[in-house]
Amino acid sequence: MACHLFIYTHPHLRLPPDPPLTLQSSSSSAASYCRQNLPTLNFHYKKGYNFYTGRKRVVCSMATENKVISGDRMLVFVPPHPLIKHWVSVLRNEQTPCPVFKNAMAELGRLLIYEASRDWLPTIAGEIQSPMGIASVEFVDPREPVAIVPILRAGLALAEHATSILPATKTYHLGVSRNEQTLQPSVYLNKLPDKFPEGSRVIVVDPMLATGGTIVAAIDLIKERGVDNSQIKVVCAVAAPPALTKLSEKYPRLHVYAGILDPTVNEKGFIIPGLGDAGDRSFDT
């Protein structure tokens, strides 16, 4: 499946210049998306991978994950599936009641975790006896469970279906609150292991990437326990430039999967237009 792909580069990396080309409707959907959701960026078109580069060191593309050579850049995937757009729209609606909101968050998480696990899970091959004969098969290796780290409390809703999508998982809860005045994160619950097994794959689930303080605190704790950037994937409902900029500067090779990208964060640290307080709306508090 094609994805809207945003490549955040390190500040010291420079992308090669490309001649500007006319954007055609059949190939400009990613650029249109960027302009609508990140209006401060200036884009030009690069033939071949359909890259669009901007003055804020961002590149976006319509491409499959395994066809893009990212190097040390952080990648942000926005899958253009109509169901993802549907559930994001349900979440945005201020009239959506709590039970429907929580269900929409769970369904969005199901789809994003599915996308995040593409071409990433360890498998084992063999043969089995089907009712009609011998068949070659491939299973997800249960000896290497994916670690799911939902950031409480809103992350619980987004990660609700992780165990139904992934055949082998372990869940480690991480509670991080944000000071409403300083917007600084504070860890109040840490159920991470002292050390992750070598080669562990970790999916961090946090619905809102706004200022970036919470997700950075979470990833720092995971990295302290032996996990490389390339083995971490972040799943979120909505992401905004301040958080993505922090992540790109700190964690090269990190992959982020978002339902949608919004253009800005207000003085209170809320994404605009966003969807409000995901935790309060998920748990009616």
Side-chain angles (χ1 to χ4, degrees), residues 131-150:
M132 304 303 293
I134 300 296
S136 297
V137 294
E138 190 171 345
F139 293 99
V140 172
D141 192 342
R143 297 168 298 182
E144 300 184 41
V146 175
I148 306 297
V149 181

Side-chain angles (χ1 to χ4, degrees), residues 177-217:
S177 61
R178 187 176 68 175
N179 186 292
E180 295 183 2
Q181 280 71 46
T182 66
L183 303 183
Q184 295 303 305
S186 175
V187 177
Y188 64 87
L189 177 69
N190 183 353
K191 292 296 184 179
L192 298 176
D194 293 335
K195 185 78 172 178
F196 281 98
E198 184 177 355
S200 290
R201 295 164 173 82
V202 180
I203 296 179
V204 187
V205 184
D206 186 10
M208 312 300 288
L209 301 189
T211 63
T214 297
I215 191 65
V216 165

Side-chain angles (χ1 to χ4, degrees), residues 18-22 44-45:
D18 300 294
L21 299 175
T22 301
H44 64 274
Y45 174 66

Side-chain angles (χ1 to χ4, degrees), residues 91-92 101 105 207-208 238 262 270-281:
L91 292 170
R92 285 211 195 271
F101 184 94
M105 188 68 78
M208 312 300 288
V238 187
D262 276 353
F270 283 92
I271 298 175
I272 304 298
L275 47 85
D277 188 308
D280 286 350
R281 297 191 68 193

Side-chain angles (χ1 to χ4, degrees), residues 52-73:
Y52 301 81
T53 63
R55 58 182 170 83
K56 286 193 176 179
R57 302 185 303 278
V58 62
V59 183
C60 66
S61 166
M62 290 289 291
T64 55
E65 178 178 352
N66 59 2
K67 292 183 180 179
V68 176
I69 306 301
S70 62
D72 285 338
R73 297 168 181 165

Side-chain angles (χ1 to χ4, degrees), residues 4-278:
H4 295 295
L5 170 61
F6 301 79
I7 304 177
Y8 274 73
T9 68
H10 189 277
H12 299 300
L13 292 179
R14 291 293 180 266
L15 297 167
D18 300 294
L21 299 175
T22 301
L23 295 175
Q24 303 297 326
S25 59
S26 61
S27 62
S28 63
S29 56
S32 298
Y33 181 90
C34 292
R35 291 194 182 100
Q36 292 168 8
N37 293 278
L38 300 174
T40 60
L41 296 177
N42 293 326
F43 299 97
H44 64 274
Y45 174 66
K46 180 178 180 182
K47 193 174 182 180
Y49 279 112
N50 294 343
F51 282 101
Y52 301 81
T53 63
R55 58 182 170 83
K56 286 193 176 179
R57 302 185 303 278
V58 62
V59 183
C60 66
S61 166
M62 290 289 291
T64 55
E65 178 178 352
N66 59 2
K67 292 183 180 179
V68 176
I69 306 301
S70 62
D72 285 338
R73 297 168 181 165
M74 186 186 83
L75 304 186
V76 180
F77 297 87
V78 182
H81 197 292
L83 285 174
I84 289 178
K85 296 176 182 178
H86 169 82
W87 293 118
V88 168
S89 299
V90 173
L91 292 170
R92 285 211 195 271
N93 186 359
E94 68 176 358
Q95 300 300 321
T96 299
C98 172
V100 178
F101 184 94
K102 187 171 182 292
N103 179 71
M105 188 68 78
E107 291 301 325
L108 178 61
R110 184 202 302 271
L111 296 167
L112 292 173
I113 291 171
Y114 170 84
E115 290 293 337
S117 61
R118 184 189 298 272
D119 300 324
W120 196 54
L121 301 177
T123 59
I124 51 177
E127 291 185 342
I128 60 170
Q129 177 70 50
S130 83
M132 304 303 293
I134 300 296
S136 297
V137 294
E138 190 171 345
F139 293 99
V140 172
D141 192 342
R143 297 168 298 182
E144 300 184 41
V146 175
I148 306 297
V149 181
I151 298 180
L152 308 184
R153 56 192 165 138
L156 292 173
L158 193 61
E160 183 173 325
H161 294 314
T163 55
S164 65
I165 287 291
L166 302 171
T169 63
K170 288 187 176 181
T171 301
Y172 302 97
H173 295 99
L174 190 60
V176 185
S177 61
R178 187 176 68 175
N179 186 292
E180 295 183 2
Q181 280 71 46
T182 66
L183 303 183
Q184 295 303 305
S186 175
V187 177
Y188 64 87
L189 177 69
N190 183 353
K191 292 296 184 179
L192 298 176
D194 293 335
K195 185 78 172 178
F196 281 98
E198 184 177 355
S200 290
R201 295 164 173 82
V202 180
I203 296 179
V204 187
V205 184
D206 186 10
M208 312 300 288
L209 301 189
T211 63
T214 297
I215 191 65
V216 165
I219 293 177
D220 281 347
L221 289 172
I222 292 167
K223 285 179 59 61
E224 288 172 5
R225 288 157 173 79
V227 183
D228 185 73
N229 296 348
S230 61
Q231 294 295 93
I232 301 172
K233 297 198 176 186
V234 176
V235 168
C236 65
V238 187
L244 295 178
T245 299
K246 283 183 181 178
L247 290 173
S248 69
E249 291 173 349
K250 291 201 63 172
Y251 311 114
R253 303 185 309 281
L254 181 73
H255 288 188
V256 177
Y257 289 77
I260 198 165
L261 303 186
D262 276 353
T264 188
V265 173
N266 68 14
E267 67 280 358
K268 295 183 178 180
F270 283 92
I271 298 175
I272 304 298
L275 47 85
D277 188 308

